[in-house]
Amino acid sequence: MRRLLAAAAAGLALSLAFDPVGLALVVPVAVAVLVLTCRGVPLRRGFLTGLVFGGCFYFTHIFWMTAVAVPAWLGLAALETFFIGLTGAAAAALTRHRWWPLTVALAWVALENLRSTWPFSGMPWGRLAFASVDTPLERLLPWIGMVGVSLVWALAATALAAAVVSWQARSRAGVRGTRRVREPLVRPAAGLLSLAALTTLAVLVPWQGDVVDTAEVAVVQGDVPGDGTNVLNDFRQVTRNQADETVALAAQVAAGEAEQPDLVVWPENSTAVDPFYDTQTHAQIERAVAAIGAPVLVGAMVDDGDDYVLNQGIVWDPETGAGDRYTKWHPVPYGEYIPLRRYADFTFGELRTITRDMRPGTRTDPLDADGLLVADLICFDVAYDDTLQAQVSNGAQLITVQTSNAMFINTHQLEQQFAITRLRAIEAGRWLAVASVNGISGIVAPDGSVVATTPKRTKAVMTAQVGLVDDVSPGIRVGPWLTRGAAAATVLALLLALGTDLRRRRGSSPVPQETTDGPGDGLTDAAEPRSGDARTRLTRSPR
């Protein structure tokens, strides 16, 4: 019971590491507690402990999902909690063997990546790397990417756990004088110092791509009428607001009060109906584009037959009209489509409003906005690695994020997503412009600093001159390889660990702890038996 209570407290504490609280130093402590509570227990106990930790963390962390629907929050949080339960089981298996500080950290990252992409495209919210904003670890992002930074956080946690285990072992050895400690305290201490040295080096030698050109970028936040939570209540006014603010910017440009933009970014859901079929919506876009005389990246819902819809960013040129399009890669399950709809009726309660499923996109090339190459991300796409990696690797010079977030306007989702957005700018080493219908919009520099932003629930236009970068950061390049490497290493480590345990069980031999210091986490209720007696053998045998 003490282990479960400790895991629950650690899970709740981990939720404080992310915005709006942002206590990042909680990360290694909370994950270390999970590792210690799973150490020395059977796999099923590790799984249960992981479930408790994951439930307390994830149900708290994405409570904002209730704005979509309570069933969506319950289902999504429960699914992600299951994966964290698997992490607890993996920790229980791996901590019985040598090198567990490394293998447990790799297992955390592997399962974090798995739950972030599967099933139904997964849910990346709550990755350890996302707690790195405004910390020294964010400087590692352009070098090792999101996966690498999550691994650094996990290694810091397992090194801390190993330090606790070693300290307990040394204390017991000092009291009894007969116990041999196989894992000196210097090992975890050396690991922590190495991570600190790596971070210091990244701070002192930051990655920076060469700026090949500059561009003037404008971001338009048109606001949402009413209480601001539903763009569909008055969707025509939402589009009109976007057009009006763009026309007002054009008037300022004509008066010499603002620079002529090379690109204007509108948010997701700036048109909630198909602009190619709805004449009023089409006219509003044409009015704005003609006035500003520059490409406008329009966030639009586009029909794809009677049963499907596409969430797209469309480059609308003042001379040639609609051009390149990016389609959202990662629609939100139970938010933008109903998984397995063909097999059962999952539409109940608030989910009945999702009458058409959103198809995912596949575009890997950046958008061409009159020669400006743009990596576009739509809303939750910003939390996934794949689409940004593909577009930046294929030549994108600038990043845009089009988001609605109107339904989350009264929740902490906005702060969490904006923090992830800032980290993406650092990871890619590029300027980033994010447009939201009513907040949070902004323009972010490659170092993650916010050079312009607007209050929520307001109409506003931001402009800034941004640098264009062609170089691809090492973090973008190595990210996919780190993902595969962590998965392969975890599978191998688990097979070796479970195989060793099985051989020991068949041979009826005890399973030794690496430090021969009993449970080693300080969270058990019973005193440690003497070495060699029957109770010791029973405690250390796998069940």
Side-chain angles (χ1 to χ4, degrees):
M1 181 58 70
R2 292 176 62 188
R3 292 177 186 259
L4 296 181
L5 290 175
L12 288 172
L14 183 59
S15 67
L16 301 177
F18 302 86
D19 277 28
V21 180
L23 293 177
L25 287 178
V26 169
V27 172
V29 177
V31 177
V33 171
L34 173 64
V35 174
L36 291 171
T37 53
C38 292
R39 186 172 183 271
V41 302
L43 267 64
R44 62 180 181 274
R45 286 284 303 279
F47 178 70
L48 175 61
T49 303
L51 285 180
V52 171
F53 175 94
C56 290
F57 166 55
Y58 221 83
F59 278 89
T60 304
H61 183 54
I62 66 162
F63 184 74
W64 47 261
M65 195 69 181
T66 56
V68 177
V70 171
W73 168 62
L74 294 173
L76 185 57
L79 178 62
E80 299 304 298
T81 295
F82 170 77
F83 283 99
I84 300 177
L86 293 180
T87 304
L94 295 171
T95 50
R96 302 171 184 171
H97 303 277
R98 193 173 295 276
W99 300 107
W100 65 264
L102 175 60
T103 57
V104 172
L106 288 168
W108 177 284
V109 171
L111 287 163
E112 181 182 86
N113 291 331
L114 179 61
R115 72 168 180 80
S116 297
T117 56
W118 185 86
F120 312 127
S121 129
M123 180 59 172
W125 241 255
R127 295 172 66 180
L128 298 186
F130 293 164
S132 304
V133 68
D134 294 326
T135 73
L137 263 65
E138 70 178 12
R139 298 296 123 203
L140 289 171
L141 283 167
W143 292 108
I144 57 177
M146 289 290 183
V147 178
V149 171
S150 277
L151 180 59
V152 169
W153 277 120
L155 286 169
T158 55
L160 181 61
V164 172
V165 170
S166 296
W167 175 79
Q168 289 180 326
R170 290 168 66 88
S171 298
R172 289 167 180 154
V175 171
R176 294 169 186 160
T178 59
R179 302 290 301 278
R180 177 175 178 266
V181 181
R182 297 179 184 171
E183 183 180 274
L185 189 59
V186 69
R187 291 184 183 178
L192 289 171
L193 288 174
S194 298
L195 294 176
L198 178 65
T199 304
T200 302
L201 181 63
V203 172
L204 295 177
V205 188
W207 186 88
Q208 186 173 0
D210 292 332
V211 176
V212 297
D213 202 352
T214 61
E216 190 75 16
V217 174
V219 173
V220 180
Q221 178 177 296
D223 203 12
V224 177
D227 66 1
T229 62
N230 194 335
V231 295
L232 298 179
N233 283 342
D234 193 353
F235 62 88
R236 295 199 184 281
Q237 186 62 48
V238 171
T239 305
R240 189 176 300 114
N241 287 352
Q242 292 293 139
D244 288 347
E245 290 300 309
T246 305
V247 171
L249 174 62
Q252 292 178 334
V253 171
E257 299 172 357
E259 295 292 331
Q260 169 65 40
D262 298 297
L263 175 68
V264 178
V265 185
W266 284 13
E268 176 191 27
N269 277 338
S270 15
T271 79
V273 292
D274 193 326
F276 300 103
Y277 292 100
D278 188 85
T279 57
Q280 294 185 48
T281 299
H282 190 276
Q284 292 290 348
I285 296 173
E286 290 285 350
R287 175 173 72 96
V289 173
I292 197 62
V296 177
L297 183 56
V298 178
M301 294 296 161
V302 177
D303 295 332
D304 186 20
D306 295 332
D307 299 325
Y308 297 94
V309 66
L310 304 175
N311 191 347
Q312 293 189 325
I314 306 171
V315 178
W316 215 288
D317 189 88
E319 296 183 1
T320 59
D324 274 2
R325 305 187 199 183
Y326 168 82
T327 301
K328 185 176 183 179
W329 271 34
H330 298 283
V332 181
Y334 301 106
E336 295 172 319
Y337 75 101
I338 305 297
L340 307 178
R341 188 198 292 266
R342 70 178 67 179
Y343 301 109
D345 182 12
F346 293 99
T347 52
F348 53 87
E350 300 99 320
L351 300 182
R352 292 187 182 277
T353 61
I354 307 173
T355 58
R356 295 190 296 172
D357 286 339
M358 187 176 291
R359 286 192 193 273
T362 58
R363 184 186 182 106
T364 58
D365 291 329
L367 299 174
D368 187 340
D370 194 22
L372 180 61
L373 299 180
V374 179
D376 192 29
L377 307 171
I378 297 180
C379 201
F380 280 22
D381 277 349
V382 75
Y384 293 84
D385 294 337
D386 49 7
T387 179
L388 180 65
Q389 289 170 348
Q391 294 180 82
V392 170
S393 297
N394 287 331
Q397 303 165 313
L398 170 73
I399 303 171
T400 58
V401 177
Q402 298 175 285
T403 185
S404 171
N405 285 346
M407 68 175 61
F408 304 124
I409 195 67
N410 299 315
T411 74
H412 297 315
Q413 189 273 351
L414 275 70
E415 289 83 0
Q416 291 175 7
Q417 182 170 318
F418 195 69
I420 297 170
T421 300
R422 291 176 58 199
L423 293 172
R424 288 301 184 190
I426 300 172
E427 180 186 32
R430 277 159 173 71
W431 285 81
L432 185 151
V434 52
S436 175
V437 284
N438 56 357
I440 302 172
S441 302
I443 299 176
V444 183
D447 64 357
S449 60
V450 181
V451 301
T453 189
T454 63
K456 294 183 288 186
R457 300 297 313 281
T458 59
K459 297 178 183 179
V461 176
M462 296 164 289
T463 62
Q465 187 178 76
V466 304
L468 304 179
V469 176
D470 284 337
D471 297 334
V472 180
S473 68
I476 292 292
R477 294 190 186 278
V478 306
W481 295 102
L482 286 176
T483 300
R484 300 182 191 107
T490 298
V491 170
L492 179 61
L494 285 172
L495 289 176
L496 291 174
L498 295 175
T500 300
D501 290 346
L502 182 60
R503 288 194 299 272
R504 285 170 175 163
R505 181 180 300 178
R506 287 176 175 174
S508 300
S509 60
V511 179
Q513 296 289 341
E514 184 180 348
T515 58
T516 67
D517 59 338
D521 57 11
L523 297 171
T524 53
D525 295 316
E528 182 193 1
R530 292 188 306 273
S531 175
D533 66 15
R535 288 188 300 157
T536 301
R537 290 192 293 273
L538 179 60
T539 300
R540 294 180 181 175
S541 296
R543 287 175 286 176

